[in-house]
Amino acid sequence: MRPTILALDLEGTLISNAVSQIPRPGLYQFLEVAHELFEHLVIYTTVPEAAFRRISRLLVEEGSAPGWFAELPYTFWGGATKDLRYVSPILGAALLLDDHADYIHPGQERYWIEVSLFGAPYDADDAGLEVALEMLKERLVVPL
């Protein structure tokens, strides 16, 4: 099965964190290409939805993210891990892009695309999203 949904973590993956909200280098381009590669993008984060909406609107206003980013579906979840069955009832239909291994639901490791943590000192030359994009492209060519 070829994954059609990409679930996106926010903090440490797309931006620094919900407090400083520094966009990761290459965010706009990454989002545009991911939008072309997948039928659906969703946000899957520990950040409450209202805070995500404020952050996403700011990123759009600053030109760091495409306009549609602020309208992405938000995936609500509870518990200690990000169970992809909250994103799709069909395991394998969604991949999770996340920097934090502890959030990966047991048994769903093969659906995880690991991205390096975007953390202080926030390197302007960070290429984490470029690397993640290549991993996503490879995964789509050779599905699980």
Side-chain angles (χ1 to χ4, degrees):
M1 165 185 295
R2 182 184 193 277
T4 58
I5 304 166
L6 180 60
L8 300 164
D9 175 52
L10 185 64
E11 294 181 294
T13 298
L14 301 181
I15 65 170
S16 55
N17 56 60
V19 176
S20 62
Q21 305 168 18
I22 300 167
R24 190 169 201 158
L27 177 61
Y28 194 104
Q29 179 66 19
F30 170 82
L31 291 170
E32 287 286 32
V33 174
H35 192 249
E36 293 173 11
L37 292 174
F38 291 87
E39 291 177 23
H40 306 284
L41 300 179
V42 300
I43 292 297
Y44 204 0
T45 180
T46 59
V47 175
E49 184 173 9
F52 162 70
R53 296 293 172 202
R54 284 190 300 275
I55 292 166
S56 64
R57 286 191 298 271
L58 179 63
L59 290 170
V60 168
E61 289 170 12
E62 292 176 341
S64 297
W68 50 260
F69 180 70
E71 305 304 320
L72 284 182
Y74 178 93
T75 302
F76 175 81
W77 66 291
T81 60
K82 294 180 178 178
D83 186 343
L84 284 170
R85 290 175 292 188
Y86 286 115
V87 175
S88 171
I90 303 166
L91 275 179
L95 297 176
L96 172 63
L97 182 72
D98 203 307
D99 65 297
H100 195 62
D102 290 342
Y103 285 145
I104 307 308
H105 193 71
Q108 296 182 12
E109 295 83 3
R110 65 178 178 232
Y111 307 118
W112 175 36
I113 303 296
E114 182 177 8
V115 62
S116 60
L117 171 68
F118 182 56
Y122 308 117
D123 183 2
D125 295 324
D126 174 87
L129 290 177
E130 289 177 38
V131 172
L133 197 54
E134 291 309 310
M135 292 168 48
L136 286 167
K137 289 177 181 177
E138 288 175 20
R139 183 66 64 88
L140 294 176
V141 171
V142 184
L144 298 169

